[in-house]
Amino acid sequence: MAIKVEPAFLEFIRNAVSAKISSAVIVVDGNENIHPIALTKHITENQKTVLQLHIYLDAEDASGTITEAKLVDASGVAMITSSAHITSHETGALLLFEVPFEVGVN
């Protein structure tokens, strides 16, 4: 049996995930700070869709070592987490979370 996931369904999944995630919690030198999602991009091709979420930290916010980044919902519940070891001294940082969705048939 061949399955074809229509673009409308991939768009629904992408939009639902995008709507659920409200901000990012970034840990710099052991301190948690909440940052907004600066940009959300949606890429859909064939049977695959990708949701990209960008978080920008200016030079002051990124000063130190970034050890963890979490995408959270409006209640602060972590939806996606990532450990990191990024050191930034005089520049800011742009963090990218990329969430791929691919449909296959077994």
Side-chain angles (χ1 to χ4, degrees):
M1 166 161 81
I3 239 182
K4 180 178 183 226
V5 176
E6 298 296 334
F9 184 70
L10 292 173
E11 189 175 324
F12 167 76
I13 293 171
R14 177 194 74 198
N15 291 344
V17 171
S18 183
K20 179 71 174 167
I21 296 171
S22 66
S23 58
V25 176
I26 310 299
V27 180
V28 180
D29 290 339
N31 299 310
E32 288 189 352
N33 291 299
I34 298 172
H35 296 275
I37 305 298
L39 175 68
T40 301
K41 290 173 98 177
H42 304 139
I43 303 164
T44 300
E45 298 174 347
N46 301 328
Q47 295 288 91
K48 183 176 181 178
T49 190
V50 175
L51 174 63
Q52 293 181 337
L53 299 121
H54 301 249
I55 300 95
Y56 177 72
L57 284 72
D58 63 22
E60 185 178 329
D61 289 337
S63 180
T65 302
I66 299 168
T67 55
E68 185 177 36
K70 301 183 271 190
L71 297 178
V72 298
D73 69 6
S75 299
V77 175
M79 299 283 113
I80 299 171
T81 61
S82 177
S83 59
H85 188 80
I86 302 166
T87 302
S88 177
H89 299 287
E90 297 177 10
T91 61
L94 178 65
L95 305 178
L96 167 67
F97 279 85
E98 191 169 79
V99 183
F101 300 94
E102 191 168 359
V103 178
V105 178
N106 291 338

